[in-house]
Structures are given as C-alpha cells and as structure tokens.
Amino acid sequence: MAGHSKWANIQHRKGRQDAARSKLFSKLSKEITVAAKMGDPDPDKNPRLRLAVKEAKSNSVPKDVIDRAIKKSQAGEGDDYEEIRYEGYGPNGVAVIVEAMTDNRNRTASNVRSTFTKNGGNLGETGSVGFMFDRKGEVSYPADVADADTVMMAAIEAGAEDVESSEDGHFIYCADTDLNEVSSALEAELGESESTKLIWKPTTTTELDLESMQKLMKLVDALEDDDDVQRVTTNFEASDEVMAQL
C-alpha cells in the first residue's frame, strides 16, 4: 500500500511546526479522554485507551499531557463527543475518508463540506467510498528492527494477515478486532512498536500526477487543520518521481 507509507513520509519531510504539533497533541489527547470515558481509565484494562496512549507516545506527547487527558475523562469531560465518519472524493476522484470527533455535528459537517468544496473535492454520502477500504489494525516497526523474513515469521506467529517491508519500515496488518492481541504478541517478539492503530487500508488505489498530488495534499492539510478532524485517509498512488518533486 504505497499510498499510506508515502503519505507518512511526506508529512515527516514537511516537518511539523509548533502550531501543527500542538494541534496533533490536542487531537491525540481528545482520543485518550474519550477512550478512557468509554471504558476503564487503566490502559491495561482498556484496549482502546492502550492504543490511544501508545499512539500519543509514538508522537512524543509528554506523559503529563497523557495523564491529564485520562483525568479529564474522570472529571466528566468528553461526555459530549461523538465520532462521525465522512466520505468524499478529492482531485482526480481519489477516495477520502475523514474521521472526526465532535461536540457539534452541524459545525463539523459544514466545515468538512466547505473544505472539500474549496479544495476541488466533494463530500459524498456515507458508504460512497468506504467500500474501497478495509478496516484493519496496523503495527509498524522501523526497518532496522529485523530483516523482512524475521518480521514475517513474527507476524505469522502473532496471527497477523499481511506484512509489507521496505526501506520505510515494516507495516504489519491484522483484522481490526485482533489488533490488541497481535500487537502484544509482536512486542513480545520484536520489542516496542513505532505505532499501533486502526486504519482504513485501501483495496483499490488511484494514480495521481504531480499537480493532482499537490491538490490532494492541500485538501488533506486543510481537513487536518480542523480541530474536530482526528484523521484523514486517502487511496492515492503516486510514482517515486512524483513523490520526489513534492
């Protein structure tokens, strides 16, 4: 799935400024608060919270910020948030899934629709692009954790479904309901993962040229800039030549 790892690399290459970093911390904290609210405040007894804390740590969120987010859930914060998924099309018909967490459904829907429209995309009905993705668990490790064969064997033993290894790292995929078990088994074998999360994995991709890719990045950046938007997934495919020019 070239689209996924390449997108992660673009984000990394662009570098996160302080404002973007603060926004990311805020989104990760919101997920922690809601996860703790919905289950046990102890990550060991709450798989969703465990994953949220792990994702926060992999993005260098300080421990006191994580602890504060968990405490907020006990103080009644996070009560009003609901999770909503929006689906639409970006430049050249690329599929876009937007996951949001909001206390005002109307505001978020209006903002997401407007962002799509301003950036050459259009918001569709729920299900309009979802069929082009599978809900999966993803565990990632740096390339130097082990060779591809070792990671593949560890993944098979852990009950994973697929592995993609390249110079960008090792990406291990499993059924969404198995993520907690698979990631725990992998960590026993390979050590702490870089990232463990639920994703939308494209089953079909759309090839983009440089101009379309630039437009897509503009759309995704604008969507991610919205405080209510937690994450954005697309099914783009682009050649190495195009990626090098971004």
Side-chain angles (χ1 to χ4, degrees):
M1 188 180 59
H4 164 264
S5 49
K6 283 180 178 172
W7 183 262
N9 290 342
I10 296 169
Q11 295 290 63
H12 184 67
R13 273 212 304 272
K14 284 165 63 182
R16 288 204 171 273
Q17 294 142 342
D18 288 344
R21 191 175 184 75
S22 152
K23 203 175 273 285
L24 178 68
F25 280 14
S26 164
K27 290 178 190 213
L28 292 167
S29 297
K30 190 193 283 187
E31 167 63 23
I32 289 170
T33 301
V34 170
K37 189 79 200 167
M38 290 170 70
D40 196 288
D42 179 355
D44 291 334
K45 298 177 187 168
N46 181 338
R48 177 168 172 174
L49 178 58
R50 179 175 170 267
L51 292 177
V53 168
K54 185 165 188 45
E55 188 64 12
K57 284 180 177 172
S58 74
N59 282 283
S60 309
V61 176
K63 187 175 184 301
D64 63 317
V65 174
I66 293 171
D67 292 342
R68 202 156 57 236
I70 294 174
K71 286 199 181 88
K72 277 184 179 179
S73 73
Q74 308 312 294
E77 289 194 38
D79 286 358
D80 305 331
Y81 289 123
E82 60 176 323
E83 294 174 278
I84 308 173
R85 187 173 85 239
Y86 300 97
E87 300 180 20
Y89 291 93
N92 271 29
V94 68
V96 183
I97 291 181
V98 180
E99 293 170 271
M101 201 177 276
T102 180
D103 55 2
N104 186 328
R105 181 187 276 261
N106 291 339
R107 175 192 67 220
T108 309
S110 169
N111 288 349
V112 169
R113 184 179 299 281
S114 159
T115 302
F116 267 95
T117 305
K118 283 179 187 166
N119 291 280
N122 31 105
L123 191 59
E125 299 296 317
T126 301
S128 59
V129 304
F131 67 92
M132 296 187 230
F133 298 81
D134 285 333
R135 190 65 163 159
K136 295 290 179 189
E138 179 195 79
V139 185
S140 67
Y141 281 91
D144 60 5
V145 73
D147 62 51
D149 288 343
T150 303
V151 172
M152 175 67 81
M153 289 310 298
I156 291 169
E157 288 290 319
E161 296 176 345
D162 192 18
V163 181
E164 290 177 9
S165 294
S166 72
E167 61 189 22
D168 297 329
H170 305 282
F171 295 90
I172 300 150
Y173 301 101
C174 63
D176 55 346
T177 49
D178 296 343
L179 181 56
N180 204 36
E181 288 169 29
V182 170
S183 65
S184 298
L186 284 168
E187 289 189 4
E189 198 66 33
L190 301 172
E192 187 84 4
S193 66
E194 264 189 339
S195 171
T196 299
K197 58 190 173 185
L198 287 168
I199 60 156
W200 292 98
K201 190 173 190 287
T203 52
T204 60
T205 55
T206 300
E207 180 82 27
L208 295 183
D209 59 17
L210 179 60
E211 187 184 347
S212 299
M213 195 66 218
Q214 287 168 332
K215 286 179 182 169
L216 177 63
M217 284 180 68
K218 202 171 160 204
L219 168 62
V220 172
D221 285 346
L223 286 166
E224 288 185 337
D225 208 37
D226 189 311
D227 290 337
D228 296 334
V229 171
Q230 289 294 99
R231 62 190 65 83
V232 181
T233 308
T234 74
N235 73 337
F236 83 85
E237 186 78 46
S239 68
D240 291 338
E241 289 76 22
V242 167
M243 299 303 287
Q245 292 177 70
L246 286 169

